[in-house]
């Protein structure tokens, strides 16, 4: 088996960090381009044009006069609103990170104690798990290094989320100001800002993981099995942060959104994002903390875990046994190529092709997905050819399976294309350009109840094709390369993460831009442009969630396989009572978790509704627009509620594997993991798509773009009110419960893998007693 790869070890050592640095530099360049849009009024005199008059000055002057671009007040107002949103988001994240920091420290100690106790804290070298004839580093070392990589993962996740949120709050008002010059200019600002986040996150995750592997290698030397087992802590750290970011951010954003909609739109009949509504700033802050910081951490977690799962399996395959460094780091090489591919793809949206009309926005975003997938397929083919030996073996539940390099290319490819299919199916079910959402909008004629029934049916139906896509990719990749195949299929789905995140972050940025346009009192035409950007953003956000859920299913299955191998279980037999009780309890957990998160949104929204009503009733001149509402109180309600309410769901996910593994043992835990994976994926997809469909059905009626939509409208009509109610019910489904569930699935699996040595040695206390 001692075949060598075409790519030398030195080349691998250079390519990975260089690609990561290119990603970081590219994101900084995009940020510089966004910052050219000025938010200060530096102009003197009546007609000195904006700094961008270079291209054919005269034409720009005319546009400026027509759209009131020289109106200084508008710029000042936009800057004020943006500051308020930015301050709200920063203060929430700081508060959240303080609480989560305490939790992280406690959990890090727990990892050290649990894993150190496997060999009762001895510092002597132990026989290796898979090859008893060799000596490996002591369990205490794995405990220490796992704890370090856990903290590294958590820190990288926090930084990724925070930087993403910063750029989003930096870009929202700039997008609004650019919308005065046309929809194309606004689109480019919003998309570039999304790209900053996408590339920073992908490159950061890759670079930190690469550096960690090289540093750990100094200690571990040839003990690759111990080295990559210790690296799994990185995925655990990333995902545990993502869980709190997603749940906390999701509760925050939806408490504000539901509160603002119920009182503002339904009771007081004022437009969305109206400055008279006290909850409107909190709502805009929520978009950034939930959809940007939460989504960033979530996808970073998926990326870290799929890399870790692949590395753990590879370390006990021929790559690890023969110490073939290039083949071992194949997962990181795939991600490195992904950064370069996404960089080229991004230029198609911002530089090679300009958007001129509203109807071109959604196709431009969809083209991003298609172009990146096609280029990536070629990229994977090249990397598989140069970085893998032609023949190698992959560890498969106790045996070594012979695999060829082209089979591994197919595994990554099938994951990549399954991601695209899931993305497009999600789009079909959530975009108001197609019949499913139009049918939901049509059902609003007879009131809110039929709207809810149609929406639920749409969500359940939208699960079918994504599940088949996931099933086929599991079958193909498992047949070719066992659990390693599934891990790299998940990586394939996430290989275009930079583009996926750019498209995803674009949504909340354009949503905020619309809110700022409304609050700054800009003209109806500008609001129409930002609404068009926002409607496309809603669909792309749903696509992003589809990607996140699909990759979570593959990632957790790969982690499950690594856990089963590591815990020394040869087969998981569903017919044994130990496993079956785990299975049925595991399938229940996503329901329990959803119940907690939905109820949290409900109770937080209740406080928000009461506060908004109180302000409308007690502040004189608020409805007339002569008095200013108290935005700060609403921001505080959302912050307090979400911090308090995120603890119980978080604890449920983090403690379940520990309790089950310690008291019931590894067989029962493997049942719990399988059960939660199977039921969690279904609920997550249907919840996200139902919520997205209701939201876009409401937007379809409001926009009144077609004859059919005009018969249901205008705003304030009975069908529109029914649509608003549907949208309000869908909010916690699509932005809190749905997206958090994919973290539940992954996090329980990666946590079980990290603690596997402890469970295998000391677990199953109850069964030992009886």
């Amino acid at each position: 088996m001692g075949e060598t790869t075409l790519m030398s070890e030195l080349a691998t050592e250079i390519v990975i960090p260089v690609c990561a640095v290119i990603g970081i530099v590219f994101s900084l360049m995009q940020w510089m381009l966004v910052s050219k849009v000025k938010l200060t009024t530096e102009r003197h005199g009546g007609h000195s044009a904006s700094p961008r008059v270079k291209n054919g000055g005269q034409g720009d002057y005319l546009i400026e006069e027509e759209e009131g671009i020289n109106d200084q007040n508008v710029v000042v107002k936009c800057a004020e609103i943006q500051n308020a949103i930015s301050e709200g988001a920063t203060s929430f994240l700081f508060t959240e990170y303080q609480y989560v920091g305490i939790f992280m420290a406690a959990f890090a100690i727990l990892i050290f104690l649990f894993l150190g106790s496997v060999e009762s804290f001895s510092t002597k070298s132990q026989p290796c798990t898979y090859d008893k004839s060799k000596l490996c580093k002591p369990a205490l070392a794995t405990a220490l290094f796992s704890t370090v990589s856990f903290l590294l993962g958590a820190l990288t996740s926090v930084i990724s989320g925070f930087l993403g949120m910063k750029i989003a709050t930096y870009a929202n008002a700039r997008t609004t100001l650019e919308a005065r010059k046309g929809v194309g200019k606004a689109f480019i600002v919003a998309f570039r800002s999304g790209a900053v986040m996408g590339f920073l996150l992908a490159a950061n995750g890759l670079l930190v993981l690469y550096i960690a592997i090289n540093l750990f290698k100094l200690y571990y030397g040839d003990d690759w099995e111990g080295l990559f087992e210790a690296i799994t802590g990185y995925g655990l750290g990333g995902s545990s942060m993502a869980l709190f970011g997603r749940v906390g951010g999701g509760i925050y954003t939806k408490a504000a959104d539901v509160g603002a909609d119920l009182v503002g739109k339904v009771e007081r009949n004022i437009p969305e994002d109206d400055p008279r509504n006290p909850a409107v700033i909190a709502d805009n802050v929520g978009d950034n903390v939930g959809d940007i910081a939460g989504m960033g951490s979530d996808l970073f977690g998926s990326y870290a875990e799929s890399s870790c799962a692949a590395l753990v399996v590879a370390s006990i395959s021929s790559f690890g046994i023969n110490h073939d460094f290039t083949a071992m780091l194949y997962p990181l090489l795939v991600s490195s190529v992904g950064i370069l591919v996404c960089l080229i793809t991004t230029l198609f949206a911002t530089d090679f092709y300009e958007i001129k009309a509203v109807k071109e926005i959604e196709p431009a975003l969809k083209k991003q997905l298609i172009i990146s997938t096609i280029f990536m397929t070629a990229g994977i083919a090249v990397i598989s050819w140069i970085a893998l030996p032609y023949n190698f073996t992959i560890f498969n539940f106790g045996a070594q399976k012979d695999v060829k390099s082209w089979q591994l290319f197919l595994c990554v490819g099938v994951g990549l294309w399954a991601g695209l299919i899931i993305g497009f199916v999600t789009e079909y079910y959530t975009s108001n350009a197609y019949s499913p959402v139009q049918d939901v909008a049509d059902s609003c004629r007879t009131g809110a109840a039929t709207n809810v029934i149609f929406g639920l049916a749409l969500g359940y139906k939208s699960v079918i094709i994504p599940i088949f896509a996931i099933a086929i990719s599991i079958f193909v990749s498992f047949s070719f390369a066992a659990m390693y195949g599934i891990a790299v299929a998940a990586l394939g789905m996430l290989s275009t993460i930079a583009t996926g995140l750019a498209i995803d972050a674009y949504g909340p940025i354009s949503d905020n831009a619309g809110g700022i346009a409304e609050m700054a009192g800009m003209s109806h035409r500008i609001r129409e442009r930002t609404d068009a950007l926002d409607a496309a953003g809603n669909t792309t956000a749903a696509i992003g969630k589809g990607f996140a859920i699909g990759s979570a299913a593959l990632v957790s299955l790969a982690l499950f396989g690594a856990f089963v191998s590591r815990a020394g279980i040869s087969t998981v037999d569903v017919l044994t009572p130990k496993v079956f009780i785990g299975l049925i309890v595991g399938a229940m957990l996503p329901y329990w978790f959803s119940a907690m998160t939905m109820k949290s949104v409900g109770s937080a929204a209740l406080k928000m509704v009461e506060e908004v009503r109180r302000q409308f009733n007690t502040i004189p001149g608020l409805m007339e627009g002569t008095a200013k509402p108290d935005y700060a109180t609403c921001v505080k309600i959302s912050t307090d509620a979400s911090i308090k309410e995120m603890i119980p769901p978080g604890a449920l996910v983090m403690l379940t594997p520990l309790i089950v593994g310690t008291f019931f043992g590894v067989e029962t835990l493997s049942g719990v993991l399988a059960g939660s994976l199977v039921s969690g994926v279904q609920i997550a997809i249907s919840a996200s798509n139902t919520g997205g469909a209701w939201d876009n059905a409401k937007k379809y009626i409001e926009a009144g773009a077609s004859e059919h939509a005009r018969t249901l409208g205008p705003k304030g009509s009975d069908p529109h009110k029914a649509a608003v109610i549907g949208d309000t019910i869908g909010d916690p489904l699509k932005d809190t419960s749905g997206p958090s569930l994919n973290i539940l699935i992954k996090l329980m699996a990666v946590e079980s893998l990290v603690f596997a040595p402890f469970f295998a040695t000391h677990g199953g206390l109850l069964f030992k007693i009886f």
Side-chain angles (χ1 to χ4, degrees):
M1 280 292 157
E3 289 188 38
T4 53
T5 51
L6 291 176
M7 194 168 171
S8 69
E9 189 169 320
L10 180 66
T12 310
E13 293 274 19
I14 293 168
V15 165
I16 297 173
V18 164
C19 288
V21 170
I22 288 173
I24 292 169
V25 170
F26 181 71
S27 70
L28 293 175
M29 280 164 56
Q30 298 295 312
W31 180 73
M32 300 279 290
L33 288 166
V34 171
S35 63
K36 282 189 177 163
V37 181
K38 291 284 177 268
L39 257 189
T40 47
T41 47
E42 296 163 352
R43 309 191 188 113
H44 311 289
H47 61 255
S48 69
S50 70
R52 279 161 268 80
V53 173
K54 295 191 273 298
N55 46 1
Q58 196 51 45
D60 266 14
Y61 278 130
L62 298 174
I63 299 175
E64 295 205 349
E65 294 309 324
E66 182 192 349
E67 292 290 359
I69 287 194
N70 292 326
D71 185 357
Q72 310 272 357
N73 301 339
V74 170
V75 182
V76 174
K77 254 188 177 165
C78 285
E80 273 174 17
I81 298 163
Q82 184 195 30
N83 281 341
I85 294 173
S86 185
E87 278 168 25
T90 311
S91 77
F92 168 72
L93 285 182
F94 272 122
T95 316
E96 182 184 50
Y97 292 155
Q98 279 167 0
Y99 282 87
V100 176
I102 300 164
F103 170 80
M104 287 296 144
F107 206 75
I109 296 165
L110 205 63
I111 293 175
F112 182 71
L113 294 177
F114 269 52
L115 293 180
S117 70
V118 172
E119 307 284 357
S120 44
F121 298 99
S122 92
T123 50
K124 292 199 290 291
S125 291
Q126 302 290 337
C128 300
T129 318
Y130 298 97
D131 183 356
K132 300 290 183 199
S133 62
K134 288 188 189 147
L135 281 181
C136 285
K137 295 285 189 264
L140 193 63
T142 306
L144 182 65
F145 282 102
S146 292
T147 310
V148 171
S149 58
F150 168 76
L151 293 171
L152 262 180
L155 199 65
T156 314
S157 185
V158 166
I159 291 169
S160 305
F162 185 73
L163 289 174
M165 188 278 302
K166 270 300 190 205
I167 178 68
T169 53
Y170 180 81
N172 47 21
R174 288 173 167 77
T175 306
T176 312
L177 293 176
E178 285 293 271
R180 299 176 305 180
K181 300 197 178 117
V183 77
K185 291 262 199 292
F187 171 81
I188 286 178
V189 171
F191 190 79
R192 277 197 171 131
S193 319
V196 175
M197 170 170 175
F199 283 93
L200 266 183
L201 199 126
N204 265 345
L206 179 65
L207 195 59
V208 176
L209 184 57
Y210 171 78
I211 292 169
I213 289 173
N214 276 317
L215 290 178
F216 285 17
K217 212 164 142 235
L218 298 175
Y219 169 78
Y220 276 100
D222 281 350
D223 174 14
W224 284 17
E225 192 187 296
L227 162 62
F228 290 105
E229 198 168 295
I231 285 286
T232 50
Y234 185 68
L236 176 61
S239 251
S240 43
M241 278 308 306
L243 174 74
F244 290 106
R246 255 298 188 208
V247 175
I251 293 169
Y252 185 107
T253 174
K254 290 305 112 180
D257 197 357
V258 171
D261 283 0
L262 282 179
V263 184
K265 289 193 330 207
V266 178
E267 291 179 12
R268 296 279 168 169
N269 213 359
I270 55 177
E272 193 163 356
D273 296 318
D274 191 293
R276 291 171 294 179
N277 193 332
V280 71
I281 293 278
D283 183 12
N284 281 309
V285 171
D287 289 334
N288 294 301
V289 273
D291 285 353
I292 301 244
M295 185 71 178
S297 295
D298 180 3
L299 280 177
F300 164 73
S302 280
Y303 161 72
E305 283 158 344
S306 52
S307 304
C308 292
L311 291 167
V312 169
V313 180
S315 68
I316 47 177
S317 304
S318 65
F319 303 159
I321 297 162
N322 301 338
H323 289 99
D324 185 345
F325 190 70
T326 302
M328 187 70 216
L329 291 193
Y330 176 70
L332 300 191
L333 286 165
V334 169
S335 307
S336 307
V337 175
I339 290 177
L340 301 181
V341 164
C342 293
L343 196 153
I344 298 163
T345 312
T346 303
L347 299 176
F348 277 91
T350 55
D351 297 74
F352 299 156
Y353 170 82
E354 198 184 337
I355 287 183
K356 296 196 172 59
V358 166
K359 62 175 184 294
E360 293 172 8
I361 302 170
E362 228 169 278
L365 292 167
K366 281 194 294 197
K367 274 183 200 141
Q368 285 286 300
L369 291 173
I370 298 167
I371 294 168
S372 63
T373 305
I374 292 168
F375 283 176
M376 193 63 212
T377 310
I380 298 165
V382 173
I383 273 294
S384 305
W385 178 53
I386 62 171
L388 293 172
Y390 183 66
N391 276 318
F392 47 90
T393 64
I394 291 291
F395 184 83
N396 179 26
F397 299 120
Q400 293 280 357
K401 180 186 175 86
D402 285 322
V403 184
K404 307 249 185 312
S405 57
W406 61 267
Q407 290 175 314
L408 217 47
F409 157 67
L410 287 178
C411 293
V412 186
V414 77
L416 178 66
W417 285 89
L420 187 69
I421 291 166
I422 292 171
F424 278 119
V425 170
T426 310
E427 193 237 1
Y428 174 71
Y429 279 107
T430 54
S431 165
N432 53 29
Y434 305 104
S435 59
V437 172
Q438 291 174 8
D439 290 345
V440 171
D442 194 56
S443 71
C444 294
R445 289 170 193 277
T446 44
T450 40
N451 178 27
V452 171
I453 293 167
F454 268 70
L456 286 172
L458 175 144
Y460 297 150
K461 201 172 161 191
S462 70
V463 176
I464 303 167
I465 299 172
I467 292 295
F468 276 120
I470 293 169
I472 291 166
S473 44
I474 288 171
F475 182 76
V476 171
S477 48
F478 193 83
S479 308
F480 282 149
M483 280 300 169
Y484 188 71
I486 291 175
V488 292
L491 261 177
M493 201 178 274
L494 291 165
S495 58
T496 52
I497 182 174
T499 295
L501 266 170
I503 293 174
D504 206 73
Y506 155 87
I509 292 170
S510 24
D511 190 354
N512 267 203
I516 292 172
E518 181 73 49
M519 284 187 270
M522 289 176 144
S523 72
H524 180 62
R525 276 175 55 184
I526 291 169
R527 184 67 223 222
E528 270 178 2
R529 287 171 193 167
T530 56
D531 273 352
L533 290 171
D534 182 21
N538 256 339
T539 305
T540 56
I543 292 176
K545 286 173 189 136
F547 260 97
I549 296 162
S551 63
L554 292 175
V555 168
S556 53
L557 187 58
L559 290 165
F560 176 65
F563 162 72
V564 171
S565 302
R566 184 62 194 86
I569 310 170
S570 49
T571 52
V572 179
D573 182 358
V574 182
L575 295 175
T576 52
K578 276 185 187 177
V579 176
F580 195 79
I581 57 164
L583 205 60
I584 200 156
V585 169
M588 172 274 296
L589 285 172
Y591 289 92
W592 188 0
F593 180 80
S594 300
M596 282 177 153
T597 48
M598 297 277 288
K599 192 158 182 277
S600 301
V601 171
S603 58
L606 195 67
K607 292 188 188 116
M608 187 64 81
V609 167
E610 283 166 359
E611 172 60 25
V612 175
R613 273 186 192 149
R614 184 194 68 76
Q615 291 199 23
F616 273 123
N617 293 333
T618 57
I619 299 177
L622 184 55
M623 267 309 274
E624 293 72 42
T626 51
K628 275 190 85 168
D630 175 9
Y631 296 125
T633 310
C634 289
V635 171
K636 187 171 176 348
I637 286 177
S638 257
T639 305
D640 294 348
S642 54
I643 298 287
K644 187 172 121 252
E645 301 279 359
M646 78 180 178
I647 309 289
L652 173 73
V653 179
M654 299 295 280
L655 296 177
T656 301
L658 290 178
I659 294 168
V660 175
T662 309
F663 292 107
F664 297 92
V666 283
E667 283 97 347
T668 310
L669 182 53
S670 61
V672 168
L673 294 179
S676 65
L677 165 62
V678 169
S679 85
V681 172
Q682 329 277 342
I683 304 174
I685 296 175
S686 70
S688 295
N689 290 350
T690 295
W694 275 327
D695 193 351
N696 274 341
K698 175 200 72 173
K699 289 220 162 50
Y700 175 75
I701 295 174
E702 286 177 351
S706 68
E707 192 54 48
H708 173 235
R710 282 192 287 278
T711 60
L712 299 170
K715 282 185 186 180
S717 65
D718 284 343
H720 177 249
K721 281 183 177 159
V724 170
I725 292 170
D727 173 37
T728 312
I729 300 170
D731 273 338
L733 284 174
K734 80 174 190 325
D735 289 326
T736 313
S737 298
S740 310
L741 275 173
N742 60 55
I743 306 179
L744 167 128
I745 307 166
K746 295 179 306 196
L747 188 54
M748 287 184 17
V750 72
E751 192 182 325
S752 306
L753 174 58
V754 171
F755 286 107
F758 175 79
F759 296 149
T761 316
H762 300 302
L765 293 178
L766 284 180
F767 294 129
K768 284 175 183 166
I769 298 166
F770 298 122

